[in-house]
Amino acid sequence: MIIAGLSFTLVSLYITYALHKKKASLQLALFFIAGLTILIRCFYTVNFETGADASIWLASARSTFFSNNPLWWLLNSNEGRPLTVAPLLILPLLGLPLNYFTADLLGLIFFIASFCITALLIAKYTRQQMAGWLLVLPLFSVLATASHVDFFSYNSEAPSLFQITVSLW
């Protein structure tokens, strides 16, 4: 964990320097920091139940995916929230297993996309790339280095935050 935190700090300092000297664009910086965040999180994302909510959403997604009438099943016959379960249905369509690890990675992608959209919005409205970068850098650092296994597991906030930031774009 210490190595991950140090590598994240060094890369983010280098990217901040490159943005300050106008040697890199904000989009490129966000691409690299998002990739590093995913890489670091993959090392300590677990494939077992960290909370009862994730089990309910995965079970609901699995039963919806294999149902004869998926829309009816999604809206009427599951205990999970439909807007939380629906994004999980992307995983089997992509050929990925529907388990805790891939669900957590999907939640991570939602958080990362929300942070990137926020940075681009701030940069657009302030006309300064550093403003967007400095706003989301602490968010990425917490997302990448939080070591509690349930801290950023797939939850109902991930798709909701993504939907709100996309609607602001």
Side-chain angles (χ1 to χ4, degrees):
M1 181 46 108
I2 293 173
I3 294 172
L6 286 175
S7 63
F8 188 87
T9 303
L10 291 175
V11 170
S12 62
L13 286 174
Y14 178 75
I15 293 173
T16 304
Y17 173 77
L19 279 173
H20 180 67
K21 294 294 184 183
K22 309 261 192 265
K23 294 181 180 180
S25 67
L26 180 60
Q27 292 86 355
L28 185 63
L30 290 171
F31 176 77
F32 278 116
I33 207 71
L36 182 63
T37 302
I38 290 172
L39 183 68
I40 291 172
R41 289 295 298 181
C42 280
F43 283 116
Y44 54 93
T45 299
V46 295
N47 194 18
F48 58 82
E49 178 181 354
T50 57
D53 290 338
S55 297
I56 291 171
W57 295 324
L58 285 171
S60 297
R62 186 167 284 137
S63 60
T64 301
F65 185 74
F66 292 111
S67 171
N68 292 336
N69 190 348
L71 183 62
W72 183 87
W73 190 270
L74 178 67
L75 298 176
N76 296 312
S77 293
N78 68 46
E79 295 183 23
R81 300 174 185 117
L83 290 178
T84 304
V85 173
L88 290 172
L89 296 174
I90 296 169
L91 297 173
L93 293 175
L94 295 174
L96 297 171
L98 194 56
N99 58 27
Y100 296 104
F101 182 78
T102 55
D104 287 352
L105 286 182
L106 182 64
L108 180 68
I109 290 170
F110 280 136
F111 280 119
I112 287 173
S114 300
F115 296 166
C116 289
I117 291 170
T118 302
L120 293 171
L121 280 171
I122 296 298
K124 178 181 176 182
Y125 291 121
T126 62
R127 293 186 173 85
Q128 294 183 355
Q129 290 186 355
M130 284 299 285
W133 176 253
L134 292 176
L135 174 78
V136 298
L137 187 58
L139 299 173
F140 273 110
S141 64
V142 169
L143 185 63
T145 60
S147 62
H148 190 270
V149 293
D150 195 29
F151 194 66
F152 278 106
S153 62
Y154 184 80
N155 53 38
S156 60
E157 287 82 11
S160 302
L161 181 66
F162 178 70
Q163 291 167 7
I164 290 169
T165 53
V166 167
S167 69
L168 291 174
W169 185 256

